[in-house]
Structure formats: structure tokens, C-alpha cells
Amino acid sequence: MKYKRPRGTQDIVPPAVHIWREVEEAFKRTFEKHCYEQIRTPIFESTELFERAVGEQTDIISKEMYTFTDRGGRSLTLRPENTASVIRAYLESGMHRRGGIVRLYYIGPMFRYDRPQAGRYRQFHQVGLEAIGGASPAIDVEVIETFMITLEELGFRGLMLKLNSVGCRTCRGPYRKLLLKALDGVREVLCSDCEDRAFKNPLRVFDCKRCEGVKEKLPTILANLCKDCRAHYDAVKAALEALGRSFEEDPYLVRGLDYYTRTAFEVIHGDLGAQNALCGGGRYDDLVEQCGGPPTPAIGYSAGLERIISVLPKDSPVLREAGVPPDIYVACVDEGGMSRALKIASLLRSVAAVEADFSMRSLKTQLRSAEKSGAKIAAIVDSSSRDEILWKNLAERKQVGVPDGDILDFAKRTLAASKEDGA
RNA sequence: GUGGGCGUAGCUCAGCCUGGUAGAGCCCUGGAUUGUGGUUCCAGUUGUCACGGGUUCAAAUCCCGUCGUCCACCCCA
């Protein structure tokens, strides 16, 4: 094989692509029921947008970007996530002047130069949404619910929702000092990575899998929230409880992107291996302002389609969708009937899905293929019977001759009849 | 970027340890029915054994390197 797909990418081929489409549709249905509208932003953006929005210290920016220089000398980057682009587009198209909450969703490929692993790809696909301009804890819950509801519709049960608050500008400052002090006290027992983190992004020490014993000795942001953040967090919890939505409070849940404030959440799944997050998100109340807009609170999340699809429950309704079989399979027996078969297939397509076989294989083989395709009818075209075709009902194993001129009417009648039988 | 497993037919894999010119099942094609499908039976096609180098009379098999893939670290969807 001369060419292979680039490392960390995937071809989504039938029949898997049908599952993908069903999952995407499920999300779209939920989003649109909640009055979120789709937004499509460019696959690449100026590198600076990501650096500024996502945070220069993050791994995504410091080592995982697909960055290139275009012919005009501009530094561009394949989007590693979509929130920055959405906020850029929100401001650039003047949506911030609409007033009220702007609800947007997206779906599409993202790119990160990581080493591929279970549930991790260089080109991967996310669905996500952003609710921009809403400060109420109720919006947080609305956003979380769109994900939980959709996954339940896909057949998931008993998902683990993890919840935390990472505070805001007011509480982060004092907390940071507190944390740094505590980190200083445990410096000797920190792993080498965490020694670095302690400087660059102290909160991320909580993410470390090796420093398990250390965490208990450190103050959590959750225990040091300012009054407003505390009230917001408590209100989110109360609203989730009122909806009967179970969750687990995780004071160690911190997220890898710098722009998060207050509510942070993740939904994890046990069968995913090390990359166990199906979805991650939270509030980013300062990002719009940081990007040059007016102060605007916002919240969003993104979910990994590969990961969701890889752990779909066995009884998921979408696993039943294997594509639409043809209604009619046109079998062409000899070269002489070819152009007539083409014409008949084309005619039939005005009322049905038609698969045409021009392989000139034996009729036996063509009928075998017809049956395998799931078609109800095989239309056999043979140049020796010049003005009629054989119309074979594959389930009943019966066939009749139909004059060319009557084919369309005949097709309409039999297909309508078989639909009634089927229903 | 670091570590480990794996790479043989379109697919799933055996063979590798103990070197001797490559196998099974599925799929596919033709036939048994001088064009009519589920099953069965008969016959047939499947390959630069990932790539490059080395050892050897001889390498799918042993050794080294490269690439790919999977898993883990890191990080995240």
C-alpha cells in the first residue's frame, strides 16, 4: 500500500459512519430542543488566539499544536479546541450586541499533536456548546443536562458526573498564596513534574497521579471559595439535586485550560482506560473580556465523539442503525442490457432507492448480492427479452414479467403494498 | 518526548521458541441447476511474511535500525 493515513487519524467508513451520524443527530436534537444554534468556525485560526485564550503554560499550547506558516508569513494553527474560536466569532460577528444569552453548539474535528493512545487521536471529533452571557447557576445546570440527557438517549446509564468549583479572580489570589505556602512545605515529596507545576500552574498538582498522598495535605480551592463563588456553587448543586441528577463532588478536579472559572465538571466512564473523560467543561467568565469583548460570563463543554462511540452500551439504539438498504436491486444479465438497465434504474429512483449491479457476474451471484443488500425487489434486465423485465420479490421468491412501459406504475404499487405489510 | 507489546491473504489468526522456499477459517469467484438467491457439495484466486540492513549454505523464524499500530507515562475529548 503506497499511502497510509497520517498517524493518529482515522477513516470512518461504513458501517461505522452510520453510528457516527446517529450519535451526532442525537446531540443536535437535544441542543436544538434547548434552543442552541449551530456555529461553524474555521478549522485554523491565528496561532495567537489559542495562545492567549487557552493559556501559554498549558500542554495544549506548549507542545500539542499543529502550527504552520502560510504563504503570507502568518502563523496559523489547526484548532486544538473550539471555545476560543467560538468566542472570537461571537465578538467578530457582533453577537454580543444581541442581548440575553447566546446559545451556540458545534461539532467537528480538532487537532492535537499527542502520542496516540486508547481514546486519544491527533485528529479527533468534538461536539460541544457554549452559553454566552448567562451568569445564573441555572445555566450551568442546563448546560450539564444537555450532555447527560443525550447520553441517556444513547443508552448510557449510571454515568459519573464530577463537579468542582475553581473559583474566580477574587478568590484565586488569596488561595494561590495559601497553596504555594503549603506546596513549599511538601516540596521534598513532590514528584519532579509537580515541582515544575508548583511554579507554572499550582492548581494542576491536583491532577497528578503520582502525588496521591500529598493532596490531602494541600488546601483545596473548594474550601477557600469567596462568598459569591460559594453561593454559585451551592446553587448549582442544589439545582442538580432538585432535578434528581446525581454527581460526585471532586475538589481535586481541575481542568487543563487556563480560562476556566467557578464551575468545572467532567463525565467519566470506566471502560475508557487512562483517557476516561467523555466530556469536560466549565465556566469561563473572564474569557470574553480577555478576547477584547465586554465583561461577559459564559459556560460550555466539549465531548469526545470517538470516546463516546467506543463505549456505547451494547443495547444502544444507535447500534441498530446499519444504513438504509436499497428498495430495488437491478441485476443486469448481459452486456446488451446495460444501457436499458441504466435507464430503468434511473427511472425507478424517482420512487425508490436503487442499487444497480453492472458486474456481469452470473445471475446466481447477482441474486445472492441482492439478497445480502437487503433489497425487497430484484429487477432482472436481460437483453433477450427486449421489452420487459423480471420483477422478483426476494422474500416471496416469486417473479413476474413487467413491460418496460409499466415499470414505474408497477413499482409504485408494489412498494406501497410492501410498506403496508411491513408496517 | 519516555517505556513496553504487536506487525504473516481483503478480515480473524496459526507458524517464530528449536531457521529448510507460507497455512487455516471467513470472505470472494466459478460450477453442481446450458444464466434464478437461504443450506449443502466440488473447484479456484488470494501474500514484496511492515520496510531496510546484518548473521547463515539457507531467514516469516535469530540480531540491529526505521516506520506503523496498540497500551501506559505525560496530558486531555
Side-chain angles (χ1 to χ4, degrees), chain A residues 54-345:
Chain A
V54 177
E56 311 221 26
Q57 298 298 338
T58 63
D59 283 43
I60 292 177
I61 301 309
S62 61
K63 55 185 203 193
E64 295 173 5
M65 291 212 295
Y66 274 96
T67 297
F68 62 98
T69 306
D70 76 0
R71 286 165 190 265
R74 290 169 277 255
S75 179
L76 299 170
T77 294
L78 262 34
R79 61 184 189 194
E81 58 101 55
N82 208 16
T83 299
S85 306
V86 169
I87 297 306
R88 196 223 77 238
Y90 165 86
L91 292 170
E92 191 165 340
S93 61
M95 281 189 260
H96 56 294
R97 284 193 296 262
R98 280 191 193 177
I101 299 173
V102 174
R103 291 179 167 89
L104 299 168
Y105 77 86
Y106 59 84
I107 182 161
M110 308 294 158
F111 306 85
R112 290 182 202 170
Y113 191 89
D114 255 5
R115 189 105 163 229
Q117 195 181 318
R120 197 170 76 187
Y121 303 89
R122 290 184 171 179
Q123 173 174 337
F124 59 103
H125 299 80
Q126 290 187 328
V127 293
L129 59 72
E130 318 289 350
I132 309 165
S136 164
I139 299 298
D140 302 34
V141 175
E142 173 184 293
V143 163
I144 292 170
E145 280 298 288
T146 60
F147 184 76
M148 303 307 283
I149 288 170
T150 308
L151 263 73
E152 280 164 4
E153 195 179 309
L154 294 174
F156 287 91
R157 293 290 176 270
L159 287 168
M160 167 72 73
L161 168 64
K162 292 175 111 183
L163 192 69
N164 191 23
S165 173
V166 295
C168 66
R169 281 184 284 200
T170 310
C171 38
R172 284 248 193 113
Y175 168 68
R176 197 187 152 89
K177 278 180 200 155
L178 209 63
L179 178 60
L180 285 175
K181 209 179 202 176
L183 280 171
D184 213 36
V186 293
R187 181 130 303 180
E188 310 80 51
V189 288
L190 286 180
C191 71
S192 54
D193 287 335
C194 283
E195 278 187 82
D196 280 351
R197 291 195 188 100
F199 280 112
K200 290 181 185 160
N201 199 341
L203 266 181
R204 299 205 56 78
V205 173
F206 290 116
D207 255 357
C208 186
K209 285 168 190 163
R210 275 178 292 185
C211 294
E212 288 298 336
V214 185
K215 293 178 191 173
E216 290 100 65
K217 295 177 187 148
L218 300 174
T220 62
I221 178 75
L222 192 56
N224 292 277
L225 294 175
C226 66
K227 215 173 244 174
D228 288 347
C229 284
R230 185 79 232 173
H232 185 94
Y233 182 66
D234 288 340
V236 171
K237 284 201 296 183
L240 284 170
E241 273 158 16
L243 284 176
R245 177 67 63 197
S246 61
F247 60 90
E248 186 176 287
E249 189 168 88
D250 181 1
Y252 300 143
L253 172 66
V254 289
R255 304 203 35 78
L257 286 66
D258 281 355
Y259 51 64
Y260 285 110
T261 56
R262 291 196 168 171
T263 308
F265 66 95
E266 255 176 30
V267 176
I268 63 173
H269 192 284
D271 294 345
L272 276 171
Q275 318 300 321
N276 62 0
L278 288 176
C279 133
R283 259 192 186 278
Y284 46 93
D285 288 341
D286 302 329
L287 183 60
V288 176
E289 188 177 4
Q290 241 177 64
C291 290
T296 310
I299 178 167
Y301 69 82
S302 59
L305 283 174
E306 283 82 357
R307 291 186 187 176
I308 291 170
I309 287 165
S310 75
V311 293
L312 278 173
K314 284 200 177 63
D315 60 349
S316 173
V318 300
L319 293 179
R320 308 190 149 281
E321 309 291 336
V324 185
D327 299 306
I328 301 168
Y329 191 100
V330 174
C332 182
V333 172
D334 50 23
E335 297 277 346
M338 191 123 82
S339 61
R340 218 176 109 226
L342 217 41
K343 207 180 285 176
I344 288 164

